[in-house]
Amino acid sequence: MRRGREVTLRDVAELAGVSSRTVSNVVNGYANVTERTRLRVQRAVDQLGYRPNVLARNLAQGRSGQIAVVVPYLDTPYFSELLQSIIRAARVQGYNVLIDQTDGDRDHERMLVNHGSSRLLFDGVIFSPLGLSQAALADRDPTLPLVILGERVSDGTFDHVGIDDVAASRQATEHLLDLGRSRVAAIGDQPYETGEAAQLRTRGFREAHERRSLAVHEELIIRTPRFNRPDGAGAMAHLLDLDHPPDAVFCYSDLVALGAIHTLVSRGLRVPEDVAVIGYDDIEDGAYSNPTVTTISPDKEMIATTAVERLLLRIDSRTPPPGLELRAPHKLVVRESTAGPAPGRRRA
């Protein structure tokens, strides 16, 4: 064999003394090969350094070997951290990942789940919708393998992976109430058709009060168009201008919490002594801010791994499996924004 020439399937077959089809069966993991033959072929593969042409194999199977991950905003740390986990999980399974940002544009999101000419680009989609409502998701290409992240409940034709937002938000609010805070605010409500995530968090906020027979101060529930720093900062400024401002705030994301803390500090208030703050998502920034941010931490690794596994199952199945509601765990991570600085640590 000439040095430098690419090793082919036929080269492996000749060295192993088997047919090219047998080599293909071994490389692709098919079961109709004896163990003795499989070992002989594997030795030939290792000796020659053969690497399968994945692109050709995928095309022969009518696949691209790629999955798409569609999120509203790439500049949101929660999504960027989740994407890293999804990419790792997909790579282990031999898949590449295409990434698209929708900015919550309804038409763009609809185009992606209607698939059409995109079938040669990707084999399935992991999708966190923002512009499409629950009803709009039903009007999509039914043959597209789809896993939904976020707060859109499965209609039976796709899988939904997420955490229990109501329970997590209730736990966050109860943590503030356990501290003895009596005027707890909520920043991030979105009472419209595509604001399901915010609505579930508001529901958990209310349930925490109801379980303790405490009244919710309606003027302390603040709406925001996005879960970002500017919205958190602006909402906190509004709350502080009230005649009776809050002594604690549940923010619907860590970015909202960071914005709220910025406003509190700029107004000369202490966190948590004057106002306790809790966030949501457990992004890395919150662990290194001053003060560090108490947060609800979803298991992003499990969300990513489960989403990839379910999507590949759908891609590989001739008959699509029924849609499942899959819950990842979450936990409360207590940091300085509610507990105060650790002993021996000075505030900047």
Side-chain angles (χ1 to χ4, degrees), residues 40-55:
R40 190 162 74 245
V41 170
Q42 190 59 55
R43 282 195 296 269
V45 167
D46 295 340
Q47 182 177 335
L48 295 174
Y50 172 69
R51 294 293 180 269
N53 187 327
V54 177
L55 178 60

PDB file of all heavy atoms in Angstrom, residues 40-55:
ATOM      1  N   ARG A  40     -11.568  -9.968  14.237  1.00  0.00           N
ATOM      2  CA  ARG A  40     -10.610  -9.975  13.130  1.00  0.00           C
ATOM      3  C   ARG A  40     -10.673  -8.672  12.333  1.00  0.00           C
ATOM      4  O   ARG A  40      -9.649  -8.084  11.982  1.00  0.00           O
ATOM      5  CB  ARG A  40     -10.876 -11.173  12.208  1.00  0.00           C
ATOM      6  CG  ARG A  40      -9.788 -11.381  11.178  1.00  0.00           C
ATOM      7  CD  ARG A  40      -9.823 -12.761  10.575  1.00  0.00           C
ATOM      8  NE  ARG A  40     -10.926 -12.935   9.648  1.00  0.00           N
ATOM      9  CZ  ARG A  40     -11.942 -13.774   9.832  1.00  0.00           C
ATOM     10  NH1 ARG A  40     -12.002 -14.499  10.951  1.00  0.00           N
ATOM     11  NH2 ARG A  40     -12.903 -13.889   8.940  1.00  0.00           N
ATOM     12  N   VAL A  41     -11.895  -8.196  12.101  1.00  0.00           N
ATOM     13  CA  VAL A  41     -12.071  -6.935  11.375  1.00  0.00           C
ATOM     14  C   VAL A  41     -11.544  -5.772  12.209  1.00  0.00           C
ATOM     15  O   VAL A  41     -10.874  -4.868  11.690  1.00  0.00           O
ATOM     16  CB  VAL A  41     -13.560  -6.727  11.021  1.00  0.00           C
ATOM     17  CG1 VAL A  41     -13.797  -5.305  10.490  1.00  0.00           C
ATOM     18  CG2 VAL A  41     -14.021  -7.745   9.999  1.00  0.00           C
ATOM     19  N   GLN A  42     -11.819  -5.767  13.511  1.00  0.00           N
ATOM     20  CA  GLN A  42     -11.363  -4.679  14.364  1.00  0.00           C
ATOM     21  C   GLN A  42      -9.848  -4.605  14.412  1.00  0.00           C
ATOM     22  O   GLN A  42      -9.259  -3.522  14.430  1.00  0.00           O
ATOM     23  CB  GLN A  42     -11.936  -4.842  15.775  1.00  0.00           C
ATOM     24  CG  GLN A  42     -11.704  -3.632  16.671  1.00  0.00           C
ATOM     25  CD  GLN A  42     -12.317  -2.372  16.094  1.00  0.00           C
ATOM     26  OE1 GLN A  42     -13.516  -2.331  15.783  1.00  0.00           O
ATOM     27  NE2 GLN A  42     -11.509  -1.337  15.909  1.00  0.00           N
ATOM     28  N   ARG A  43      -9.167  -5.780  14.412  1.00  0.00           N
ATOM     29  CA  ARG A  43      -7.707  -5.780  14.384  1.00  0.00           C
ATOM     30  C   ARG A  43      -7.187  -5.161  13.095  1.00  0.00           C
ATOM     31  O   ARG A  43      -6.211  -4.409  13.099  1.00  0.00           O
ATOM     32  CB  ARG A  43      -7.179  -7.213  14.546  1.00  0.00           C
ATOM     33  CG  ARG A  43      -7.211  -7.722  15.983  1.00  0.00           C
ATOM     34  CD  ARG A  43      -6.358  -8.966  16.147  1.00  0.00           C
ATOM     35  NE  ARG A  43      -6.879 -10.089  15.367  1.00  0.00           N
ATOM     36  CZ  ARG A  43      -7.744 -10.990  15.838  1.00  0.00           C
ATOM     37  NH1 ARG A  43      -8.190 -10.892  17.097  1.00  0.00           N
ATOM     38  NH2 ARG A  43      -8.163 -11.971  15.067  1.00  0.00           N
ATOM     39  N   ALA A  44      -7.844  -5.469  11.978  1.00  0.00           N
ATOM     40  CA  ALA A  44      -7.441  -4.893  10.692  1.00  0.00           C
ATOM     41  C   ALA A  44      -7.671  -3.377  10.671  1.00  0.00           C
ATOM     42  O   ALA A  44      -6.851  -2.619  10.153  1.00  0.00           O
ATOM     43  CB  ALA A  44      -8.209  -5.564   9.554  1.00  0.00           C
ATOM     44  N   VAL A  45      -8.804  -2.954  11.244  1.00  0.00           N
ATOM     45  CA  VAL A  45      -9.105  -1.515  11.335  1.00  0.00           C
ATOM     46  C   VAL A  45      -8.022  -0.800  12.138  1.00  0.00           C
ATOM     47  O   VAL A  45      -7.509   0.253  11.729  1.00  0.00           O
ATOM     48  CB  VAL A  45     -10.492  -1.295  11.980  1.00  0.00           C
ATOM     49  CG1 VAL A  45     -10.671   0.168  12.376  1.00  0.00           C
ATOM     50  CG2 VAL A  45     -11.596  -1.721  11.025  1.00  0.00           C
ATOM     51  N   ASP A  46      -7.657  -1.373  13.278  1.00  0.00           N
ATOM     52  CA  ASP A  46      -6.646  -0.754  14.140  1.00  0.00           C
ATOM     53  C   ASP A  46      -5.273  -0.752  13.471  1.00  0.00           C
ATOM     54  O   ASP A  46      -4.535   0.240  13.549  1.00  0.00           O
ATOM     55  CB  ASP A  46      -6.566  -1.493  15.474  1.00  0.00           C
ATOM     56  CG  ASP A  46      -7.847  -1.366  16.290  1.00  0.00           C
ATOM     57  OD1 ASP A  46      -8.627  -0.431  16.021  1.00  0.00           O
ATOM     58  OD2 ASP A  46      -8.060  -2.214  17.184  1.00  0.00           O
ATOM     59  N   GLN A  47      -4.932  -1.853  12.802  1.00  0.00           N
ATOM     60  CA  GLN A  47      -3.618  -1.963  12.165  1.00  0.00           C
ATOM     61  C   GLN A  47      -3.449  -0.958  11.030  1.00  0.00           C
ATOM     62  O   GLN A  47      -2.388  -0.343  10.879  1.00  0.00           O
ATOM     63  CB  GLN A  47      -3.419  -3.392  11.641  1.00  0.00           C
ATOM     64  CG  GLN A  47      -2.055  -3.623  10.995  1.00  0.00           C
ATOM     65  CD  GLN A  47      -1.878  -5.069  10.547  1.00  0.00           C
ATOM     66  OE1 GLN A  47      -2.518  -5.978  11.092  1.00  0.00           O
ATOM     67  NE2 GLN A  47      -1.019  -5.293   9.559  1.00  0.00           N
ATOM     68  N   LEU A  48      -4.507  -0.754  10.255  1.00  0.00           N
ATOM     69  CA  LEU A  48      -4.435   0.149   9.107  1.00  0.00           C
ATOM     70  C   LEU A  48      -4.770   1.593   9.456  1.00  0.00           C
ATOM     71  O   LEU A  48      -4.541   2.505   8.652  1.00  0.00           O
ATOM     72  CB  LEU A  48      -5.382  -0.341   8.002  1.00  0.00           C
ATOM     73  CG  LEU A  48      -5.040  -1.698   7.378  1.00  0.00           C
ATOM     74  CD1 LEU A  48      -6.138  -2.125   6.402  1.00  0.00           C
ATOM     75  CD2 LEU A  48      -3.692  -1.644   6.669  1.00  0.00           C
ATOM     76  N   GLY A  49      -5.336   1.791  10.652  1.00  0.00           N
ATOM     77  CA  GLY A  49      -5.742   3.141  11.026  1.00  0.00           C
ATOM     78  C   GLY A  49      -6.932   3.637  10.218  1.00  0.00           C
ATOM     79  O   GLY A  49      -7.037   4.828   9.914  1.00  0.00           O
ATOM     80  N   TYR A  50      -7.837   2.716   9.898  1.00  0.00           N
ATOM     81  CA  TYR A  50      -9.002   3.075   9.061  1.00  0.00           C
ATOM     82  C   TYR A  50      -9.969   3.969   9.838  1.00  0.00           C
ATOM     83  O   TYR A  50     -10.258   3.733  11.009  1.00  0.00           O
ATOM     84  CB  TYR A  50      -9.727   1.809   8.613  1.00  0.00           C
ATOM     85  CG  TYR A  50     -11.031   2.069   7.911  1.00  0.00           C
ATOM     86  CD1 TYR A  50     -11.066   2.657   6.657  1.00  0.00           C
ATOM     87  CD2 TYR A  50     -12.243   1.723   8.507  1.00  0.00           C
ATOM     88  CE1 TYR A  50     -12.261   2.904   6.001  1.00  0.00           C
ATOM     89  CE2 TYR A  50     -13.446   1.955   7.869  1.00  0.00           C
ATOM     90  CZ  TYR A  50     -13.453   2.550   6.616  1.00  0.00           C
ATOM     91  OH  TYR A  50     -14.641   2.793   5.984  1.00  0.00           O
ATOM     92  N   ARG A  51     -10.452   5.025   9.171  1.00  0.00           N
ATOM     93  CA  ARG A  51     -11.460   5.910   9.739  1.00  0.00           C
ATOM     94  C   ARG A  51     -12.651   5.956   8.783  1.00  0.00           C
ATOM     95  O   ARG A  51     -12.499   6.311   7.614  1.00  0.00           O
ATOM     96  CB  ARG A  51     -10.903   7.326   9.934  1.00  0.00           C
ATOM     97  CG  ARG A  51      -9.790   7.411  10.971  1.00  0.00           C
ATOM     98  CD  ARG A  51     -10.319   7.117  12.359  1.00  0.00           C
ATOM     99  NE  ARG A  51      -9.274   7.181  13.379  1.00  0.00           N
ATOM    100  CZ  ARG A  51      -8.545   6.149  13.772  1.00  0.00           C
ATOM    101  NH1 ARG A  51      -8.746   4.948  13.226  1.00  0.00           N
ATOM    102  NH2 ARG A  51      -7.619   6.292  14.695  1.00  0.00           N
ATOM    103  N   PRO A  52     -13.840   5.585   9.266  1.00  0.00           N
ATOM    104  CA  PRO A  52     -15.009   5.574   8.387  1.00  0.00           C
ATOM    105  C   PRO A  52     -15.314   6.977   7.852  1.00  0.00           C
ATOM    106  O   PRO A  52     -15.064   7.985   8.524  1.00  0.00           O
ATOM    107  CB  PRO A  52     -16.142   5.092   9.300  1.00  0.00           C
ATOM    108  CG  PRO A  52     -15.465   4.463  10.467  1.00  0.00           C
ATOM    109  CD  PRO A  52     -14.165   5.163  10.636  1.00  0.00           C
ATOM    110  N   ASN A  53     -15.834   7.024   6.644  1.00  0.00           N
ATOM    111  CA  ASN A  53     -16.308   8.286   6.065  1.00  0.00           C
ATOM    112  C   ASN A  53     -17.710   8.532   6.606  1.00  0.00           C
ATOM    113  O   ASN A  53     -18.700   8.031   6.073  1.00  0.00           O
ATOM    114  CB  ASN A  53     -16.320   8.195   4.529  1.00  0.00           C
ATOM    115  CG  ASN A  53     -16.631   9.541   3.886  1.00  0.00           C
ATOM    116  OD1 ASN A  53     -17.388  10.338   4.440  1.00  0.00           O
ATOM    117  ND2 ASN A  53     -16.057   9.778   2.718  1.00  0.00           N
ATOM    118  N   VAL A  54     -17.770   9.299   7.697  1.00  0.00           N
ATOM    119  CA  VAL A  54     -19.052   9.513   8.377  1.00  0.00           C
ATOM    120  C   VAL A  54     -20.046  10.225   7.470  1.00  0.00           C
ATOM    121  O   VAL A  54     -21.234   9.913   7.447  1.00  0.00           O
ATOM    122  CB  VAL A  54     -18.821  10.325   9.671  1.00  0.00           C
ATOM    123  CG1 VAL A  54     -20.150  10.629  10.349  1.00  0.00           C
ATOM    124  CG2 VAL A  54     -17.913   9.542  10.610  1.00  0.00           C
ATOM    125  N   LEU A  55     -19.566  11.201   6.695  1.00  0.00           N
ATOM    126  CA  LEU A  55     -20.467  11.940   5.808  1.00  0.00           C
ATOM    127  C   LEU A  55     -21.117  11.020   4.792  1.00  0.00           C
ATOM    128  O   LEU A  55     -22.337  11.060   4.576  1.00  0.00           O
ATOM    129  CB  LEU A  55     -19.700  13.062   5.106  1.00  0.00           C
ATOM    130  CG  LEU A  55     -20.503  13.890   4.100  1.00  0.00           C
ATOM    131  CD1 LEU A  55     -21.684  14.559   4.782  1.00  0.00           C
ATOM    132  CD2 LEU A  55     -19.600  14.927   3.430  1.00  0.00           C
TER     133      LEU A  55
END
